[in-house]
Amino acid sequence: MERFLDSFLNAKLIAATWPAILSGLVVTVEIAALVVVTGLLLGLALALLRWRAGRWIGWPLMLFVDLFRAVPPLVLVLLIFFGLPNVGIELPSFAVLWLVLSLVLAAFAEEIVWAGLIAVKRGQSEAARSTGLSENQTLIYVVLPQALRLAVPPLTNRTIAITKNTALGTVIGVPEIINQATTAVSFSGNATPLLMGAFAYLLLFVPVIGLGRWIESRFAWRRQ
Amino acid sequence: MRPPHPLLDIRGLRKSFGAVEVLKGIDLAVSPGELVFLIGPSGSGKSTLLRCCNRLEEPSGGSIWFDGQEVLADRIDINALRRRMGMVFQSFNLYPHMTALGNVTLALRKVLKKPRAEAERIALAALERVGLAHKAGAYPAELSGGQQQRVAIARASALEPGLMLFDEPTSALDPELVGSVLQAMRDMRAAGMTMLVVSHEMRFAREAADRVVFMDAGVIVEQGPPEQIFGAPRHERTRAFVSEVAR
């Protein structure tokens, strides 16, 4: 028991490491927030574009979506971080992580919003169009609100799953939670910082999950 | 015999879905204030004809004139035209995320650009006419089928259309709820609205229609006043259909 406490909850190490973990938490929160905003907006924009533009946007979009859903984010992070300098583009590791996770989230979000859009009954847009609403007005006021209502639960799930991938930043040296924790682990030979990292994730994501629930309940309207 | 100035004038209208020709050259004129009933077996093309009038279906040929405007012209402002042709659907199609009032005000605000207060005043008046002003704050899921359909009628009529298209407005309703919807239509007729109605409510047709049009297999077989169509049909197919539905 004493050995366990010593290697996982070492008080001296906690005192020494918490500033590093905290700075990692700040970095993680920054990237996660950026990824959520850009990823969701891009995904929404792509779904709407596909809805309005129809066929010609279809196959290049499918290619992007399938690629970014199929390839593990870790591979994408490594490919872009170590690959782009070869064609003369050097991005800081923070930007690479932000870019990759945004694109992955956008790919999933596009598919989820699209599924919501096509799940809305045709009669809804027919009714709207029959009152003289334009295609765009029909989309914005009638179809999209119903599509988002369907999309919000899978969207919050996916958003949480992808923002946790900020931990991948550690392989390209982004000083986020896991990066700070593993550095501390290798210096001390003790697992306590890793447990602190896990605790930092709890601190971050429990409120996020709560927020997701709240958003889901906001988007639910009374139904039979 | 055609009245001189029909509000809606359909000529030689054709519509094909792929290789299947659903409308095979329809001629039909509706005068202002007239209530015309479209009847016929399912698959006869009644609903398609109705949906061609506001181009929810794109006709394959022929012409449609509405209030002096060529509906099928390339450069027509279809949204401006549609708001002058109200449509009521079999499945109501109320927006589930909006209250009854929200359903009625949406087009008033976004198409007619009325300020919110004025839109709400007009919408409440329209709901009042169908007896549902007290349900203005209710969501569609909280309303019965008959109430939902009456809100849909209010949604269309609040825009003060020149013509109302009804696509089987009572077919999805429980029998005891049909009466309230028919009453709303009766009131609308009394107010002078021009109406083109696809429906199986033969008793209502007999009582309220100025003219009954019998369609079968994409053509108009016979038309005339309800007494003729129901009492003394001239064509064999009309006779067969009328005796079938009268049972």
Side-chain angles (χ1 to χ4, degrees), chain A residues 122-135 137 141-143 145-146 221-224, chain B residues 51 54 79 82-83 85 87 89 93-98 106-107 110-111 113 139 141-142 155 159:
Chain A
R122 215 179 125 80
Q124 289 291 310
S125 34
E126 287 185 348
R129 295 307 302 277
S130 80
T131 62
L133 290 170
S134 70
E135 258 183 273
Q137 288 174 325
Y141 300 114
V142 176
V143 180
Q146 299 183 53
W221 62 79
R222 283 166 269 188
R223 40 187 351 204
Q224 42 245 30
Chain B
R51 291 162 58 84
N54 64 357
N79 298 325
R82 280 177 174 155
R83 77 130 198 94
M85 276 194 217
M87 191 166 204
F89 301 83
N93 296 344
L94 291 185
Y95 316 131
H97 56 302
M98 295 181 190
L106 182 65
K110 304 302 173 188
V111 180
K113 313 282 183 206
Y139 284 84
E142 301 165 330
R155 176 172 68 181
L159 299 167

Side-chain angles (χ1 to χ4, degrees), chain B residues 89-158:
Chain B
F89 301 83
Q90 178 176 358
S91 48
F92 328 137
N93 296 344
L94 291 185
Y95 316 131
H97 56 302
M98 295 181 190
T99 61
L101 189 68
N103 269 272
V104 184
T105 51
L106 182 65
L108 287 167
R109 296 190 59 203
K110 304 302 173 188
V111 180
L112 297 185
K113 313 282 183 206
K114 305 263 189 210
R116 178 189 285 270
E118 192 190 349
E120 289 184 351
R121 191 178 51 71
I122 296 169
L124 274 173
L127 286 170
E128 180 72 58
R129 284 198 296 275
V130 295
L132 286 175
H134 64 292
K135 291 287 187 185
Y139 284 84
E142 301 165 330
L143 300 171
S144 74
Q147 290 172 330
Q148 289 189 52
Q149 191 61 300
R150 280 143 66 203
V151 172
I153 289 173
R155 176 172 68 181
S157 72

Side-chain angles (χ1 to χ4, degrees), chain B residues 9-234:
Chain B
D9 197 353
I10 301 169
R11 293 191 187 172
L13 192 74
R14 296 182 173 276
K15 171 66 183 173
S16 301
F17 291 105
V20 185
E21 191 168 45
V22 182
L23 299 177
K24 300 171 182 166
I26 299 285
D27 294 296
L28 180 68
V30 181
S31 304
E34 207 181 8
L35 194 166
V36 175
F37 235 80
L38 287 173
I39 63 170
S42 70
S44 57
K46 315 173 296 269
S47 287
T48 306
L49 173 59
L50 209 64
R51 291 162 58 84
C52 281
C53 292
N54 64 357
R55 288 174 69 177
L56 282 185
E57 300 293 352
E58 208 54 57
S60 318
S63 69
I64 301 174
W65 289 78
F66 172 67
D67 204 8
Q69 259 189 311
E70 195 177 356
V71 174
L72 302 182
D74 288 336
R75 303 176 69 182
I76 195 172
D77 180 350
I78 190 66
N79 298 325
L81 182 106
R82 280 177 174 155
R83 77 130 198 94
R84 295 191 293 126
M85 276 194 217
M87 191 166 204
V88 173
F89 301 83
Q90 178 176 358
S91 48
F92 328 137
N93 296 344
L94 291 185
Y95 316 131
H97 56 302
M98 295 181 190
T99 61
L101 189 68
N103 269 272
V104 184
T105 51
L106 182 65
L108 287 167
R109 296 190 59 203
K110 304 302 173 188
V111 180
L112 297 185
K113 313 282 183 206
K114 305 263 189 210
R116 178 189 285 270
E118 192 190 349
E120 289 184 351
R121 191 178 51 71
I122 296 169
L124 274 173
L127 286 170
E128 180 72 58
R129 284 198 296 275
V130 295
L132 286 175
H134 64 292
K135 291 287 187 185
Y139 284 84
E142 301 165 330
L143 300 171
S144 74
Q147 290 172 330
Q148 289 189 52
Q149 191 61 300
R150 280 143 66 203
V151 172
I153 289 173
R155 176 172 68 181
S157 72
L159 299 167
E160 298 186 347
L163 170 72
M164 284 287 293
L165 307 168
F166 289 86
D167 189 4
E168 306 205 20
T170 56
S171 302
L173 294 176
D174 292 336
E176 76 273 20
L177 301 176
V178 169
S180 66
V181 171
L182 294 184
Q183 187 55 47
M185 293 170 70
R186 222 173 262 131
D187 294 343
M188 202 172 237
R189 161 142 180 71
M193 178 62 73
T194 312
M195 296 156 80
L196 186 54
V197 182
V198 170
S199 171
H200 298 294
E201 299 292 335
M202 298 302 160
R203 272 175 47 201
F204 182 64
R206 220 182 259 264
E207 158 211 327
D210 295 299
R211 185 150 49 105
V212 177
V213 176
F214 172 67
M215 284 180 70
D216 190 17
V219 296
I220 292 179
V221 175
E222 180 172 357
Q223 54 179 308
E227 312 83 70
Q228 177 200 320
I229 299 296
F230 296 115
R234 291 181 188 144

